[in-house]
């Protein structure tokens, strides 16, 4: 898979998780998840075909705004971090700037790290990872 295809897939994942993740505060649930990200992406792609212009603009605006507020992500598992940060950031009342240092603190947090050691696509790990990101993002620096 080339770089452009990987970037498009990452954006698709970000949008799909935005669509399927429910909850507020540190409690997140992943609706209609059958244990495989590929199936989730296929189902979201089908649903997105019926999105109207307002809903498309909502997703476009969310992605662009997030990218403007993110300084950068490096290292292994950066796609997982990007998806988790986007989903949580999008739900925050105060959509803050996310520095490289803040990203490093989030991905080095024990709760977050425990979700990437094995089974990154397991529902429990996804939901725990989102909760961990929320706890770290919602802290004032």
């Amino acid at each position: 898979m080339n770089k452009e295809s990987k970037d498009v897939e990452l954006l698709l994942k970000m949008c799909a998780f935005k669509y399927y993740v429910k909850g507020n505060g540190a409690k997140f649930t992943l609706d209609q998840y059958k244990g495989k990200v590929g199936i989730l992406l296929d189902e979201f792609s089908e649903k997105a075909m019926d999105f109207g212009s307002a809903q498309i603009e909502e997703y476009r605006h969310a992605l662009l705004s997030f990218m403007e507020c993110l300084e950068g992500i490096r290292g292994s598992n950066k796609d997982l971090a990007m998806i988790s940060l986007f989903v949580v950031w999008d739900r925050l009342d105060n959509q803050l700037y996310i520095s490289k240092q803040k990203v490093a603190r989030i991905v080095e947090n024990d709760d977050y790290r425990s979700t990437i050691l094995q089974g990154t696509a397991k529902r429990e790990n996804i939901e725990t990872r989102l909760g961990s990101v929320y706890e770290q993002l919602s802290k004032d620096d």
Side-chain angles (χ1 to χ4, degrees), residues 7 14 17 27 34 55 62-63 80-81 85 90 96 112 116 118 134 138:
D7 291 346
M14 292 167 72
F17 279 88
K27 179 71 175 153
K34 296 172 178 75
Q55 198 167 12
L63 288 168
L80 287 176
L85 285 164
D90 187 58
L96 50 99
Y112 180 90
I116 63 169
Q118 58 182 338
Y134 175 84
S138 61

Side-chain angles (χ1 to χ4, degrees), residues 21-29 88 91-92 111 124 126-138:
V21 170
K22 308 298 180 216
N24 54 10
K27 179 71 175 153
F28 294 91
T29 56
V88 172
R91 284 173 170 69
L92 293 175
D111 290 336
E124 179 182 327
I126 293 168
E127 294 171 350
T128 300
R129 186 166 44 251
L130 292 169
S132 174
V133 169
Y134 175 84
E135 290 295 332
Q136 295 297 311
L137 267 187
S138 61

Side-chain angles (χ1 to χ4, degrees), residues 77-95:
N77 296 311
K78 65 183 176 191
D79 288 359
L80 287 176
M82 184 88 116
I83 295 163
S84 301
L85 285 164
F86 172 67
V87 169
V88 172
W89 177 90
D90 187 58
R91 284 173 170 69
L92 293 175
D93 292 331
N94 181 18
Q95 295 176 325

Side-chain angles (χ1 to χ4, degrees), residues 12-24 26-41 43-44 80 83-84 87 91 119-131:
L12 178 62
K13 286 178 182 179
M14 292 167 72
C15 291
F17 279 88
K18 172 182 168 50
Y19 185 85
Y20 286 111
V21 170
K22 308 298 180 216
N24 54 10
K27 179 71 175 153
F28 294 91
T29 56
L30 182 55
D31 278 357
Q32 302 176 24
Y33 186 61
K34 296 172 178 75
K36 294 191 184 240
V37 173
I39 293 171
L40 187 81
L41 297 180
E43 290 175 354
F44 175 75
L80 287 176
I83 295 163
S84 301
V87 169
R91 284 173 170 69
T120 58
K122 291 168 76 175
R123 177 191 307 268
E124 179 182 327
N125 285 343
I126 293 168
E127 294 171 350
T128 300
R129 186 166 44 251
L130 292 169

Side-chain angles (χ1 to χ4, degrees), residues 25-82:
K27 179 71 175 153
F28 294 91
T29 56
L30 182 55
D31 278 357
Q32 302 176 24
Y33 186 61
K34 296 172 178 75
K36 294 191 184 240
V37 173
I39 293 171
L40 187 81
L41 297 180
D42 290 345
E43 290 175 354
F44 175 75
S45 295
E46 286 293 320
K47 290 183 184 301
M49 296 295 285
D50 295 327
F51 283 6
S53 57
Q55 198 167 12
I56 292 168
E57 181 56 28
E58 172 194 334
Y59 279 79
R60 182 182 149 317
H61 177 74
L63 288 168
L64 290 173
S65 297
F66 174 72
M67 296 300 179
E68 288 177 4
C69 289
L70 182 66
E71 190 172 349
I73 298 177
R74 295 182 187 261
S76 60
N77 296 311
K78 65 183 176 191
D79 288 359
L80 287 176
M82 184 88 116

